[in-house]
Amino acid sequence: MNNLAERVACLCCDKYDSLKKTGKPKENEWTVLAGIVLKDSTQTLSVISLATGTKCLSGTELMDVEKWECGSRLSDSHAEVLARRAFQRYLYNQLDLVLRNKSSNIFEHNESRKIILKENVSFHYFCSQTPCGDCSIFPQTDDELVPTDESCVKRRRIDIGEARGACTLTSNVASRESNTYVDIHRTGAKCVSTEKEQDLYHPGLNYHVIGPLRIKPGRGDRTLSMSCSDKLAKWNAIGIQGALLSRLVPPIRIDTICIGGQCPFSEAAMRRGVHERFADVAHCPDIVQSEKGFAHRKQTTRTQPCPSSIIWCAVPGRQLEVSVDGRKQGVTKKKARGNYLTISRRELFSTFLKIVDEFDKIENGEKNHPKKITYYHAKQSSTTYQRSWQKLKFGSFQAWPDKPTHLQEFVLF
Ligand SMILES: [Zn+2]
């Protein structure tokens, strides 16, 4: 048993239990819980962000936005992604503290006034189930197999090539010969259409190919969101802070990924999905499954995905929000204007601009950020981050599609 993973899982589940009922699954519903736990310089563990969610808007739903609505609606409400957005909100708050010379749990200035992470601070990621996409593709264990003739159940061999593209799941049991049904866990995430390798959809082990980048499953038509395995891989490679925060803070990496108990899990598939399939990704977080399982996970009594999400973050002020369809719960499209989730692109961008103002005032004695800058251009101005991302895109992440720029070309004022 991994002690740290167990504590991370318990802290996230306990925090979830302590939150009010609104937005949580009904009796027959399930959801996914994700969270980020901070181990601070005194080695104390605390939950700093937490979210639930299973939904993702389709490309059509996303395109159907008016100009003022750009950046205000969440396209991807999988728990893993919402917990990361809540984490970004936490980072802005910590940044604000350090800029005002107040004590921050995670940041400090070095001698040359650069903002750095405090020594011995680390971040640990929890997800109540294996993330969708590549990490979810692995053979079922013997007790999950459905033998057609019990006398013929044989062990399979899993042969996973090290390099991306050479990844294959093979079996030394020809399923028809042995009369044994050998199958894999499947993911609803489909390969990006420009990937050379595409799923074969053959029965058994050859249903999926492993390695390619995948698009999240969504309602009806295709979504524009990448699978959680791919997003985790990107965060692992260039940091979980994202483009905007990279202007102000160093890359922040996750040290542990802990998957909740009582759900299908393969350490090998997780490692492959998060870093091994990318030849140019060096960071390897610890990957573990906890014994602790999330109470509202998918199970025989909980068969419907919960449509709402809860999002919580350790900041002063509004900590808890509930969202449905990528908007604040109870807010219709008509009333959406000006009533945004704090973790929407628009609100995080607004926080970013305020902090940049503060930063310039303190560091350079001036206040001069261009208010008319678009979200897209603000992200592009993170040159170091963009350089790392372009390098990765040129190498392992070639098929990663660019987000339509019109969805990112909004200004706040
Ligand atoms: Zn997902």
Side-chain angles (χ1 to χ4, degrees), residues 32 53-56 76-81 127 129-133 136 187 189 216-217 226-229 231:
V32 179
T54 63
K55 299 287 181 183
C56 191
D76 186 341
S77 292
H78 279 210
E80 293 91 326
V81 174
C127 187
Q129 69 171 45
T130 299
C132 62
S136 286
T187 177
K216 272 200 174 87
M226 301 301 287
S227 75
C228 290
S229 299
K231 288 192 173 178

Side-chain angles (χ1 to χ4, degrees), residues 240-283:
I240 192 169
Q241 76 290 340
L244 295 181
L245 275 156
S246 296
R247 283 266 300 272
L248 310 162
V249 303
I252 294 174
R253 292 209 163 71
I254 294 298
D255 280 12
T256 315
I257 299 177
C258 169
I259 303 297
Q262 292 144 54
C263 80
F265 169 81
S266 153
E267 192 192 328
M270 280 293 300
R271 272 194 275 111
R272 180 191 73 223
V274 173
H275 61 91
E276 282 179 359
R277 63 190 162 132
F278 309 106
D280 42 6
V281 175
H283 184 69

Side-chain angles (χ1 to χ4, degrees), residues 63 224 402-409:
M63 295 302 181
L224 303 176
D402 290 320
K403 244 187 227 103
T405 33
H406 82 271
L407 291 177
Q408 302 187 68
E409 289 210 313

Side-chain angles (χ1 to χ4, degrees), residues 82-83 107 144 171 219 230 242 295 300-301 318 372 403:
L82 298 183
F107 294 129
E144 293 164 331
S171 166
R219 296 188 299 208
D230 297 322
T300 44
T301 50
R318 194 171 356 130
K372 289 284 178 204
K403 244 187 227 103

